[in-house]
Amino acid sequence: MMSPAEFVSQVKRELQRVTWPSQKETVVMTVAVLVLTACMMFYFLASDAIICWALAKVLGI
């Protein structure tokens, strides 16, 4: 079992080895996630509407 001081030391050392993304990379990835989320939202909205319409026709509602 390691001591808390040794653990903190290892965490600091590991964080120094991390390659952090640049601001431009962060913005591009954020925009990509938002666009993909919007596309998925519209896909599921359309799918739900079509399924509801089809069920209404089949069940005669």
Side-chain angles (χ1 to χ4, degrees):
M1 180 110 186
M2 73 175 76
S3 70
E6 185 180 350
F7 176 76
V8 171
S9 173
Q10 287 182 5
V11 169
K12 285 181 181 179
R13 204 172 359 182
E14 194 65 32
L15 283 174
Q16 290 172 348
R17 295 169 50 190
V18 172
T19 304
W20 298 101
S22 67
Q23 183 177 0
K24 182 180 179 184
E25 289 172 329
T26 304
V27 170
V28 167
M29 291 302 223
T30 301
V31 169
V33 167
L34 292 175
V35 167
L36 182 60
T37 302
C39 290
M40 290 175 61
M41 178 188 70
F42 286 119
Y43 170 77
F44 286 119
L45 178 68
S47 297
D48 183 56
I50 291 169
I51 291 170
C52 286
W53 175 81
L55 279 174
K57 290 292 183 185
V58 168
L59 298 176
I61 298 175

